[in-house]
Each structure stands twice: as C-alpha cells, then as structure tokens.
Amino acid sequence: MKSQTHLEQVGEKPEQEKQVQEKLAQEKPVPFLNLQAQQKRLHDQIWPRVQAVFQHCQFILGPEVGELEEKLARYAGVKGSVGVSSGTDALQIVMMAEGIGPGQAVFLPAFTYTATAEVPLVLGATPVFVDIDPHTFQIDPQNLKARLQAVKREGKLKPRMIVGVDLFGQPAPWDELRTIAAAEKLFLLDDCAQSFGGSYKGKKLGSQADATTLSFFPSKPLGGYGDGGAILSDDEEKLALYRSLRSHGEGKTRYQVLRTGMNGRLDTIQAAILLAKLEGFEAELERREKIAQAYDKALQGIVQTPVRVAESQSAWAIYSILAQNAQHRAAIQESLKAGGVPSAIYYPMPLHHQPAYKSYHDGVSLPVSETVAEQIMALPLHPELTEEEIARVIKGVRG
Ligand SMILES: *Cc1c(COP(=O)(O)O)cnc(C)c1O
C-alpha cells in the first residue's frame, strides 16, 4: 500500500510541477522587447568598448564614430556613411542638403512612422501621402504615380522628393521607385530606419536610393542604448555636405560656418555600443528569421501572416499579422493578453488622418492604409525570445 501511494505521488508530481511551471510562465509576461536579456548576453562584448571611450574621453566624434561609419558603409556596400543623432535627424539632414522647403512636395507612404512626414513639415515643405500595397504594406508605385500627376495638375507644389520606407524589415519596391524618380527628376530617399540588415535581390539595403537613412533606436534591428542614426550614400560630395550639416554647417575648420546646419552628431558611446552589436548582428538576423518562420507555419490560415517581398530578406523589425477586422483583432489581443503576451499596433491610424497632418492632406481616400490600420497587429519578435515564449505567442493567437 505504502509503495503504491508513493508511486502514485511520483506519477502525479511531474504533472503538478508542470502545471505550476505553466502557471508561473503565464504570470511572467513575455517581453515585447527584451533589452535586459540582450544586454546580459552581449555584456562582455559591449563593456570593453564602452570602457575604451571612458579612457580616451573623446565623447563627441571620437574614433568609434569613424570606425562605425566605415563598417556600416562596408556592410551596406556604399562609399560612405555619416553617423548622426537619430533616424529623424538623418532624414532632416538629407532633406536640408536637398534644400527641401516651402512650396515643395515630398511624397511618402501614409502608412509609416510619424517621423517620415514630420521632417518635411519642420522644413516648411508639404508631405504628400501615398497609399500602400495591401499585401506587403510597402508604398504602392501605381498610387504614387497618380498622386504625382495630381500634384502636377494642381500646380501649387513643386514635386522634389520621394521617400520610400522599408517598412517592418522588408524593402520598398525600389526598382519601380527608381524608375519614377528618374522620370520625374526627383531625389529618392530610403527611410531604412526599420530595415537595416534586410536585403533586396541579394544586396543588403542601403544602396537602393540616392541616400539611405538608418535609426539605432533601441527597438530597431540594429539598436543602440540611446538615440542614434546614420546616413548612407555613394556620393562623396553629398557625404561631405551631410558631415557639415550635422556639425552646425561647419567648413574646413570648426569656426567657419558655411551654411545653416544643426547639432546632429552620433554620440561616441553609442557608436562603441553599436560596434560591439554589429559583430553579432548576422546571427541575430538569422534568429529573427527562424522565429518568423515558426510563426508563419503555426499561424497560416488563422490570420494573414506577413507576405514576403519577392527576392528579399526581411530584417524582421516587426512581425505584423492581419486580422479579419477590428473586432477579430481585439479578440486576438485579448487572448494573447490572457496568456501574458503583449501585442502592439503599428500603426493604428494612417498619417493622413492624424490631427497634426490632416490639414496638409488633400482629402482623398487612401483606402488600403485606412483598412490595414484597422486589421494589423504585431507579435513579439526579437532574438531573445525563448522557445517557451514563442509557443505562448502562437497559443495566444490560435486562441
Ligand atoms: C524609427 C523610425 C524613424 C525615426 O528614427 P529615430 O531614431 O527614432 O528618430 C524614422 N522612420 C521610420 C520608418 C522609423 O521606424
């Protein structure tokens, strides 16, 4: 009898333990982004580089900034790069270099982060919002052509620039955008804040447009531990101009002011951290791809999983699924929440409807951006996710 009871207990215990473990796991939320775990994993690579900065004390434009600029340019296969203070300032410096200002139109997707539209407005120019592709969520070249013709017909604004945004980690339709920009003689800018590390037709993103801007905001695929950004270009003269603009428009010497610039420099400590993180960047991208594939496989047929841009590799900044409608999305978010899984909506409102921007919009409907904003939601996807956490995300969506 005694031994039987004992056996029963042995048989029961693992089951109980499993339940306790599952309960504990549910109580501990899955991190949407896990900078604690990332920082611990990379501590031994990052710390010596940061300490070196404290040794030489060149906190502004120290040697790490130049070293990072060289490595970023090599990684992207371009002539050079300029480290700047954020992805937003990178956009501003490129637009200042092109003389973007009042009476000019800058064409950009309605479905992107606010910074893309904010910068032309800061410079006095007008953003012209363009609709997106319903599958890839990237700017729609057909709608871009229509929007361009409408602006030209109206004759109030001079078209100057197209900003293609590589949304969520995937490339914008660069071949089409280049053709349109060349035909209309417009400057083509790649806002690659979300997608550095991704590639198109076997080439890393960074050389598709006249200039490419990056962000090192901590949640981006290559994120620092503070604000930071960079501009990539193949044009040596423009690179020199970006360098001047990021340091108050300085000339050959610091106290020669050639043009109106800004304080837009990348911090040396951030450059040191990014140099350490760049070492393991490819492995992180591979891990992101593995997780994306696991989600694809488990969620196909339940929601619309991300549609891959042909001949590309995503950097998987954001893994966004489409629900059938707003109610379906709310139900999935509830189910995830019950299992301790956070989700996010990028973006709940297209930019042409935003209070700050709608008065600059001509009022036309951009139906894809408007519908996608009601259906889209993002799942946690970062290299620190454990198998157990991935399973909990999948379980939450499957309901
Ligand atoms: C993050 C982001 C930016 C701005 O980058 P910051 O470094 O935060 O200034 C610009 N454009 C897009 C598409 C972004 O996702």
Side-chain angles (χ1 to χ4, degrees), residues 323 325-338 377 396-397 399:
N325 51 44
Q327 289 98 304
H328 184 215
R329 176 173 71 183
I332 297 170
Q333 286 200 289
E334 254 332 287
S335 163
L336 283 164
K337 204 170 152 202
M377 58 175 286
V397 178

Coordinates of all heavy atoms in Angstrom, one line a residue, residues 323 325-338 377 396-397 399:
A323 N -5.7 40.7 -39.0 CA -6.9 40.0 -38.6 C -8.0 40.4 -39.6 O -7.8 41.2 -40.5 CB -7.3 40.5 -37.2
N325 N -10.9 41.8 -39.2 CA -11.4 43.2 -38.9 C -11.0 43.6 -37.5 O -10.4 42.9 -36.8 CB -13.0 43.2 -39.1 CG -13.6 42.1 -38.3 OD1 -13.3 41.9 -37.1 ND2 -14.5 41.4 -38.9
A326 N -11.5 44.8 -37.1 CA -11.1 45.4 -35.8 C -11.6 44.5 -34.7 O -10.8 44.3 -33.7 CB -11.7 46.8 -35.7
Q327 N -12.8 43.9 -34.8 CA -13.2 43.0 -33.7 C -12.4 41.8 -33.5 O -12.0 41.3 -32.4 CB -14.7 42.6 -33.9 CG -15.7 43.7 -33.7 CD -16.1 44.2 -35.1 OE1 -15.3 44.7 -35.9 NE2 -17.4 44.2 -35.3
H328 N -12.1 41.1 -34.7 CA -11.2 40.0 -34.7 C -9.9 40.3 -34.1 O -9.3 39.6 -33.2 CB -11.1 39.4 -36.1 CG -10.3 38.2 -36.2 ND1 -9.5 37.9 -37.3 CD2 -10.2 37.1 -35.4 CE1 -8.9 36.7 -37.1 NE2 -9.3 36.2 -36.0
R329 N -9.3 41.5 -34.4 CA -8.0 41.9 -33.9 C -8.1 42.0 -32.4 O -7.3 41.6 -31.6 CB -7.6 43.2 -34.5 CG -6.3 43.7 -33.9 CD -5.8 44.9 -34.6 NE -6.6 46.1 -34.5 CZ -6.3 47.3 -35.1 NH1 -5.3 47.4 -35.9 NH2 -7.1 48.3 -34.9
A330 N -9.2 42.7 -31.9 CA -9.4 42.9 -30.4 C -9.4 41.5 -29.7 O -8.9 41.4 -28.6 CB -10.6 43.7 -30.2
A331 N -10.1 40.6 -30.4 CA -10.3 39.2 -29.7 C -8.9 38.6 -29.6 O -8.6 37.9 -28.6 CB -11.2 38.4 -30.5
I332 N -8.1 38.7 -30.7 CA -6.7 38.1 -30.6 C -5.9 38.8 -29.6 O -5.2 38.1 -28.8 CB -6.0 38.2 -32.0 CG1 -6.8 37.4 -33.1 CG2 -4.6 37.6 -31.9 CD1 -6.3 37.6 -34.5
Q333 N -6.0 40.1 -29.5 CA -5.2 40.8 -28.5 C -5.6 40.4 -27.1 O -4.8 40.2 -26.2 CB -5.4 42.3 -28.7 CG -4.6 42.8 -29.9 CD -4.3 44.3 -29.9 OE1 -5.3 45.1 -30.0 NE2 -3.1 44.7 -29.6
E334 N -6.9 40.2 -26.9 CA -7.4 39.7 -25.6 C -6.9 38.4 -25.2 O -6.4 38.1 -24.1 CB -9.0 39.6 -25.6 CG -9.7 40.7 -24.9 CD -9.0 41.4 -23.7 OE1 -8.9 40.7 -22.6 OE2 -8.6 42.5 -23.8
S335 N -6.9 37.5 -26.2 CA -6.5 36.1 -26.0 C -5.0 36.1 -25.6 O -4.5 35.3 -24.7 CB -6.8 35.3 -27.2 OG -6.0 34.1 -27.2
L336 N -4.2 36.9 -26.3 CA -2.8 37.0 -26.1 C -2.6 37.5 -24.7 O -1.8 37.0 -23.9 CB -2.1 37.9 -27.1 CG -1.9 37.3 -28.5 CD1 -1.5 38.4 -29.5 CD2 -0.7 36.3 -28.5
K337 N -3.3 38.5 -24.3 CA -3.1 39.2 -23.0 C -3.4 38.2 -21.9 O -2.7 38.2 -20.9 CB -4.1 40.4 -22.9 CG -3.7 41.5 -22.0 CD -4.6 42.7 -22.1 CE -4.7 43.5 -20.8 NZ -5.9 44.3 -20.8
A338 N -4.4 37.4 -22.1 CA -4.8 36.4 -21.0 C -3.6 35.4 -20.8 O -3.4 34.9 -19.7 CB -6.0 35.6 -21.5
M377 N -1.8 44.0 -36.5 CA -1.2 44.0 -35.2 C 0.1 43.2 -35.2 O 0.4 42.4 -36.1 CB -2.1 43.3 -34.2 CG -2.5 41.9 -34.6 SD -3.6 41.1 -33.3 CE -2.3 40.8 -32.1
G396 N -1.6 31.9 -28.0 CA -2.4 33.1 -27.8 C -3.2 33.5 -29.1 O -4.4 33.8 -29.0
V397 N -2.5 33.5 -30.2 CA -3.1 33.8 -31.5 C -4.1 32.8 -31.9 O -5.2 33.1 -32.4 CB -2.1 34.1 -32.6 CG1 -2.8 34.4 -33.9 CG2 -1.1 35.2 -32.2
G399 N -5.8 30.9 -30.0 CA -6.9 31.1 -29.1 C -7.4 29.8 -28.5 O -7.0 28.7 -28.8

